[in-house]
Amino acid sequence: MKRAKQTSESIELGILLALSGGFMDAYSYLARGQVFANAQTGNMLLFGVNLARGQFQHALHYLCPVLAFGLGVFLAEFVHFQKIQKVHWRQVTLLIEIIILFGVGYISFEQNLLANSLTSFVCGLQVQAFRKIHGKGYATTMCIGNLRTGTHEMCNYLCTKKVQHLQSGLLYYSIILTFIIGAILGNFCIQIFSAKAIWISISLLILAFILMFVDREKDEAFQ
């Protein structure tokens, strides 16, 4: 498979972001009271269940991350519309993610609602800013869309024998695998670093930020 025309669509960047995405979801679920940072469908489900049971305070722990995720999407798109000259707008979203997650590492376990909301906000930023890999739509913070598209491509390959469908399907499955590896890494790091384990995710985002300086001219043309 040829190298992506823009660094923001490269496999290397996709791997770093998917690792970070899996890590963040494991962190919020395992260390912060079993709330999803990325899987907002799960949060909506648990919000509805707790609401039906009259557990309104517990329901709030699932509603706030959903709202924060939406705000993250909004901010990413807002940044996109700004006329930023010195860095790519996607790098700005990565810087915001890094700063917020650094703060999350200092939030105590008594303030999990705040920590989860901020982490979901970061996930909203990421899923909106990075939506393509080699020109194809994908997500680095959730797997359902990648699973659907990857399986669709594999079916097309079996029916048409066109190798590009096989390559595309394997690409989507590799992103899913990377997400899972990120979750596994998150599980081990939480046991060692506790609340500050989220800083491992920051290191992945810093690498992604640096990588985006590669082929700078091409990135600047991708507005």
Side-chain angles (χ1 to χ4, degrees):
M1 184 175 288
K2 295 181 179 179
R3 184 173 176 83
K5 293 181 178 180
Q6 287 85 30
T7 306
S8 59
E9 296 186 16
S10 68
I11 295 175
E12 297 88 345
L13 189 70
I15 287 173
L16 288 171
L17 295 177
L19 281 171
S20 178
F23 193 105
M24 285 188 284
D25 229 9
Y27 177 82
S28 65
Y29 189 83
L30 297 175
R32 296 290 187 175
Q34 297 185 331
V35 175
F36 295 106
N38 296 318
Q40 301 306 322
T41 301
N43 287 338
M44 291 176 189
L45 169 65
L46 293 169
F47 168 70
V49 168
N50 283 280
L51 202 62
R53 293 175 176 175
Q55 298 173 339
F56 303 116
Q57 185 173 1
H58 201 56
L60 194 65
H61 284 267
Y62 297 101
L63 176 62
C64 288
V66 172
L67 298 177
F69 185 94
L71 286 174
V73 173
F74 180 89
L75 179 60
E77 197 60 19
F78 181 81
V79 172
H80 184 194
F81 277 99
Q82 306 310 302
K83 303 298 182 182
I84 303 171
Q85 300 295 329
K86 294 186 178 181
V87 294
H88 195 283
W89 72 270
R90 289 184 174 87
Q91 287 176 297
V92 175
T93 65
L94 285 175
L95 283 175
I96 296 172
E97 289 184 51
I98 291 166
I99 293 169
I100 291 175
L101 291 181
F102 183 77
V104 169
Y106 283 110
I107 298 175
S108 70
F109 290 122
E110 287 73 30
Q111 299 294 325
N112 281 343
L113 177 59
L114 175 60
N116 286 330
S117 296
L118 289 173
T119 307
S120 289
F121 180 82
V122 165
C123 292
L125 278 168
Q126 185 168 307
V127 77
Q128 180 66 13
F130 299 92
R131 294 180 292 172
K132 289 185 177 182
I133 186 167
H134 279 261
K136 300 178 182 296
Y138 85 124
T140 59
T141 61
M142 58 194 73
C143 292
I144 185 65
N146 296 335
L147 179 60
R148 185 205 67 80
T149 307
T151 304
H152 172 80
E153 291 291 341
M154 295 303 288
C155 181
N156 282 344
Y157 169 70
L158 291 174
C159 294
T160 66
K161 305 303 180 184
K162 293 182 178 179
V163 69
Q164 61 264 35
H165 292 303
L166 175 62
Q167 292 176 336
S168 182
L170 292 176
L171 178 60
Y172 280 103
Y173 287 148
S174 68
I175 293 297
I176 294 172
L177 178 61
T178 302
F179 183 92
I180 295 171
I181 293 172
I184 294 171
L185 177 64
N187 176 65
F188 287 116
C189 290
I190 289 165
Q191 297 176 36
I192 300 172
F193 302 111
S194 190
K196 291 180 174 57
I198 195 63
W199 291 351
I200 303 298
S201 186
I202 291 177
S203 67
L204 296 170
L205 295 175
I206 290 174
L207 288 175
F209 179 86
I210 295 172
L211 181 62
M212 288 196 68
F213 280 108
V214 179
D215 298 330
R216 178 70 181 276
E217 308 80 25
K218 295 178 180 178
D219 269 343
E220 290 176 346
F222 191 59
Q223 303 293 334

